[in-house]
Amino acid sequence: MKRILIVAMLMAIGKVVTAQELYVNTEPASNMPANSLGIRLGNKIFNMEHSGETGIRLEPEVMWGVNKKLMLHLTGYASNMMQPSFRAEGGSVYAKYRFLSNDQPHAHFRMAAYVRGSLIDNPFYPVMEQGARRPYSNKDLDLEGSNSGVNGGIIATQLLHKLALSSTLGYTRYMNNIKDNVPEDFPKNAINYSLSAGLLVLPVKYKSFQQTNLNLYVELLGKTNTDNVARGSYLDIAPALQLIFNSTTRLDLSYRTQMAGNMPRNTFNSFLIRFEHNIFNIKK
């Protein structure tokens, strides 16, 4: 029993030390501990440009730390963004493999490769109450509830004591949704990129894994469509606040808004509220 308690405390300490890498809008190169299970419920709130109404998307998610190098995510999506009633939209599978680790005391550098595949049942144009499509201009397709496709790329993360920096570069190929084909004037290829910073604010001095952690984040999130028929780019900023309780339970709050860009979009501002709980040593 004593040995189990020591192992649990060491795992918790490791989680606290790298807490500032638990970015809210992106993934770090680090993985969750091996043989661990995470359960998330995310809620995104959007101001819809085409209607002026509020859109809500729920994202239940299960995460599995297969081993120290590989982790998997399974996510579902449901919203009222593209159709008048709240409904299931589809799901996605995400895998991340950490292939480089350079660890030092209170610092490390890690790199990982990731891939996401999404299968979505949404129209490309919003549906009104009567069932007609509402014409509008949106060239910001995404794989997190709106569109089917695949995305892959590279993540690099540097931890420096209480500060963690991370960058992502990826490529997205959009595909036909379950019932709707990609319109001719919509993009099919895009490049995504991000730069994230996280700072561990509390506790000032670590004494117990039961202490509440407070992390502050700022993330720059960008995309460029590369197709001639739908070229455009944007760069968003997303400040966030995160609380971690007992080294197992996490609450994320974030606001995302556009800083610059020329891409027609469905929404330029959004809020994110997400709850997460982690279970360690699921095989023991």
Side-chain angles (χ1 to χ4, degrees):
M1 181 67 184
K2 183 177 180 180
R3 182 179 179 182
I4 294 175
L5 180 60
I6 293 174
V7 171
M9 289 184 65
L10 289 175
M11 291 182 64
I13 291 171
K15 189 173 181 64
V16 170
V17 169
T18 59
Q20 62 272 41
E21 291 183 47
L22 302 176
Y23 302 106
V24 176
N25 295 279
T26 60
E27 280 284 327
S30 300
N31 286 337
M32 62 193 303
N35 301 323
S36 61
L37 186 69
I39 302 171
R40 283 179 173 174
L41 180 59
N43 182 13
K44 292 180 179 177
I45 305 171
F46 305 86
N47 180 30
M48 308 297 292
E49 291 295 321
H50 62 271
S51 65
E53 300 172 352
T54 298
I56 297 175
R57 174 168 285 144
L58 292 180
E59 301 180 358
E61 184 174 0
V62 177
M63 306 175 294
W64 177 30
V66 181
N67 53 51
K68 66 179 182 179
K69 292 187 176 182
L70 177 65
M71 68 178 296
L72 303 174
H73 295 218
L74 179 63
T75 309
Y77 306 102
S79 85
N80 62 347
M81 293 182 61
M82 300 300 291
Q83 304 200 49
S85 60
F86 197 87
R87 61 184 293 277
E89 298 172 297
S92 69
V93 177
Y94 175 95
K96 181 174 60 176
Y97 181 79
R98 192 186 76 217
F99 60 84
L100 176 65
S101 294
N102 183 5
D103 296 339
Q104 301 174 2
H106 305 295
H108 62 235
F109 177 75
R110 293 173 180 171
M111 296 188 69
Y114 74 92
V115 62
R116 180 192 298 275
S118 296
L119 188 61
I120 304 298
D121 182 18
N122 253 335
F124 281 87
Y125 295 97
V127 176
M128 296 183 289
E129 292 290 346
Q130 297 82 358
R133 305 293 179 91
R134 179 188 289 113
Y136 79 121
S137 180
N138 172 55
K139 300 300 184 289
D140 178 23
L141 306 187
D142 75 271
L143 304 187
E144 297 182 6
S146 296
N147 304 102
S148 299
V150 293
N151 168 253
I154 299 294
I155 309 170
T157 303
Q158 175 71 65
L159 173 68
L160 298 169
H161 193 45
K162 292 188 176 184
L163 175 68
L165 302 173
S166 187
S167 62
T168 302
L169 179 63
Y171 163 75
T172 302
R173 172 68 178 182
Y174 300 112
M175 299 179 181
N176 296 333
N177 285 353
I178 293 177
K179 297 177 183 177
D180 279 28
N181 294 337
V182 181
E184 291 296 327
D185 61 339
F186 275 51
K188 292 186 178 180
N189 302 276
I191 302 296
N192 61 279
Y193 34 89
S194 68
L195 178 62
S196 304
L199 180 66
L200 177 63
V201 178
L202 296 174
V204 176
K205 185 176 181 181
Y206 179 75
K207 297 179 181 179
S208 166
F209 67 88
Q210 294 180 336
Q211 287 177 285
T212 298
N213 289 353
L214 171 62
N215 300 306
L216 299 181
Y217 298 93
V218 61
E219 301 183 72
L220 301 178
L221 312 165
K223 181 188 293 183
T224 297
N225 292 335
T226 59
D227 296 34
N228 289 328
V229 296
R231 286 191 179 274
S233 298
Y234 68 77
L235 183 65
D236 291 352
I237 185 169
L241 179 150
Q242 181 183 84
L243 294 169
I244 301 176
F245 309 97
N246 294 322
S247 298
T248 59
T249 304
R250 162 181 162 186
L251 177 65
D252 296 335
L253 301 172
S254 177
Y255 173 68
R256 177 173 176 171
T257 187
Q258 180 171 295
M259 293 177 59
N262 61 354
M263 183 187 298
R265 304 173 69 180
N266 192 29
T267 179
F268 293 93
N269 306 280
S270 64
F271 291 93
L272 169 64
I273 304 172
R274 184 167 59 211
F275 176 83
E276 175 184 326
H277 182 69
N278 292 278
I279 305 170
F280 302 117
N281 295 322
I282 57 176
K283 290 186 178 181
K284 297 182 181 180

